[in-house]
Amino acid sequence: MKTKTRKVYFYTINCSKNFDLEKVLMSNESKAGIDIDGKTLEIGFVEKDGDLITGAFVVTKKSGIAPIHTPGTNKYKKVGLEADQGLGYPNAFLFDLKNMILQFEFNRDGAFISRVEEFLTIVSSEFSEESESFIEFNDLLTKETYTKILNFDKIEKIYFKLANPSQLIADEVGLKGSLKDFSKIAKDANANHSLQVTMVGEKKGNGLDKKIVKNILEDMVKASRNTFTSKTKNSLQVTGVKASSLDNDLQTSDVIDLFLDKFKDSFDLQEPLLYEGIQYFERKREMLNIYRRRISQIGEIIKIK
């Protein structure tokens, strides 16, 4: 068996007061599964231990299943699946309910974080009739990144590259947010591969409007969740001037790439030739080890209890 590295990302959780996250995660409705984008998403192996809830979001792919093939021949045959069966792809998770933190295993064949938000919102609607119920996950950046951003006295330049802009056009963030004009340009120009934009402020002036830049950064991070492809990667770079260098003739600039500077970790799994399960208990063990190892570092970035 070969070893495969699994990436883990961290998010802070923001939800409405009427959103009962524990109830949603532990509910039978979340275990039953919901069809989203032609795939079934559900929660499996969910367990609660104090303020921690562990488990796995599992995507079941029921269509577009590749055939069995014998290399060197033209022989193909379909995979034998029952009508209610499909291929299962997990995203292990760990929710810290006390500190409102999500630790999430990335799996490109599984669920994107935006789909998890949608799934939990749908399940929550089963318990609350209030339409304003919501949950969202915000990327946790490294301590160094937050420090750099706080030290910027002015922002000189912002550059972003977004793969698959056609997805941006379809998403709400591309229709209503700060990116709506960019999504319209991409649509009108038939830019299906990638959208790249550079904005530069006057070097001797006050730089770019920080409020507008902040809105673009937040919307770009949200939009990027559904536009990942293996060939074209997203990029979001901010160039700013530190306050300490404003009076110098030679100002020093610093560049931050928000997609590269996310707070993240990883673990290794043995990858069998054929899976008989989703290796949940191995995933759970590694997720707990990462949490115990990194929670003190997270406490240097956000307030923890």
Side-chain angles (χ1 to χ4, degrees):
M1 289 190 293
K2 66 178 182 179
T3 300
K4 190 166 186 177
T5 299
R6 312 299 305 181
K7 295 180 181 178
V8 176
Y9 293 97
F10 296 77
Y11 302 88
T12 57
I13 305 169
N14 179 34
C15 60
S16 55
K17 292 182 179 180
N18 61 334
F19 197 103
D20 192 332
L21 181 56
E22 179 180 341
K23 185 176 181 179
V24 169
L25 292 172
M26 304 299 295
S27 69
N28 290 329
E29 286 81 359
S30 68
K31 299 172 186 175
I34 295 173
D35 288 333
I36 301 177
D37 291 342
K39 301 176 182 177
T40 301
L41 178 57
E42 64 191 85
I43 290 180
F45 302 94
V46 63
E47 301 174 83
K48 185 176 186 294
D49 183 7
D51 294 309
L52 302 183
I53 294 181
T54 54
F57 294 105
V58 180
V59 167
T60 303
K61 184 179 179 182
K62 298 179 181 180
S63 62
I65 307 298
I68 298 172
H69 177 231
T70 303
T73 73
N74 290 324
K75 295 180 180 179
Y76 298 85
K77 65 178 180 179
K78 67 179 182 179
V79 177
L81 296 173
E82 300 294 333
D84 60 343
Q85 294 180 329
L87 303 184
Y89 301 98
N91 302 81
F93 66 74
L94 183 153
F95 281 89
D96 179 342
L97 299 179
K98 182 168 64 175
N99 295 301
M100 294 299 279
I101 297 168
L102 167 61
Q103 187 177 305
F104 183 76
E105 175 197 358
F106 174 76
N107 184 346
R108 72 180 63 189
D109 295 313
F112 287 107
I113 195 68
S114 59
R115 290 293 173 261
V116 172
E117 290 175 336
E118 183 180 354
F119 169 77
L120 295 177
T121 300
I122 293 173
V123 175
S124 176
S125 67
E126 300 289 330
F127 312 118
S128 175
E129 296 181 356
E130 299 182 38
S131 59
E132 295 182 357
S133 175
F134 75 90
I135 185 169
E136 64 179 6
F137 304 117
N138 300 308
D139 298 81
L140 186 66
L141 303 179
T142 63
K143 178 183 178 182
E144 293 75 17
T145 301
Y146 282 111
T147 301
K148 287 180 181 180
I149 293 175
L150 289 174
N151 285 339
F152 281 165
D153 190 77
K154 72 174 183 179
I155 298 175
E156 293 182 325
K157 180 172 72 172
I158 177 174
Y159 163 81
F160 65 81
K161 175 183 178 182
L162 189 65
N164 189 18
S166 59
Q167 183 64 51
L168 170 64
I169 296 167
D171 285 351
E172 183 176 358
V173 68
L175 297 174
K176 298 180 179 179
S178 62
L179 302 178
K180 63 181 180 181
D181 291 333
F182 298 119
S183 66
K184 183 179 185 303
I185 292 172
K187 180 179 180 181
D188 293 343
N190 196 28
N192 296 319
H193 182 267
S194 67
L195 173 67
Q196 301 182 52
V197 176
T198 301
M199 293 181 287
V200 183
E202 291 187 19
K203 198 169 185 64
K204 294 184 179 181
N206 295 322
L208 298 172
D209 187 299
K210 290 184 178 179
K211 183 177 180 180
I212 300 299
V213 170
K214 179 178 180 293
N215 291 337
I216 292 175
L217 297 184
E218 291 176 349
D219 286 345
M220 267 294 299
V221 171
K222 290 179 181 178
S224 70
R225 296 172 178 174
N226 287 333
T227 60
F228 174 88
T229 69
S230 58
K231 295 181 180 179
T232 307
K233 295 182 179 180
N234 297 316
S235 180
L236 177 55
Q237 298 177 359
V238 180
T239 303
V241 176
K242 298 178 181 178
S244 59
S245 67
L246 283 177
D247 296 331
N248 298 337
D249 292 333
L250 297 175
Q251 296 179 349
T252 57
S253 298
D254 206 347
V255 180
I256 298 174
D257 192 319
L258 272 72
F259 291 146
L260 296 180
D261 293 340
K262 292 180 182 179
F263 194 92
K264 55 184 178 289
D265 210 307
S266 64
F267 62 89
D268 291 334
L269 276 183
Q270 294 295 314
E271 186 177 57
L273 181 63
L274 293 173
Y275 286 94
E276 295 183 3
I278 64 170
Q279 299 175 295
Y280 171 69
F281 295 104
E282 292 89 340
R283 282 180 152 90
K284 175 188 174 183
R285 181 190 65 229
E286 296 299 334
M287 293 289 277
L288 285 169
N289 287 341
I290 290 174
Y291 175 81
R292 298 183 184 113
R293 187 172 68 245
R294 302 303 294 271
I295 187 62
S296 60
Q297 297 173 12
I298 294 174
E300 297 176 358
I301 303 171
I302 60 174
K303 186 177 180 180
I304 60 174
K305 301 174 184 178

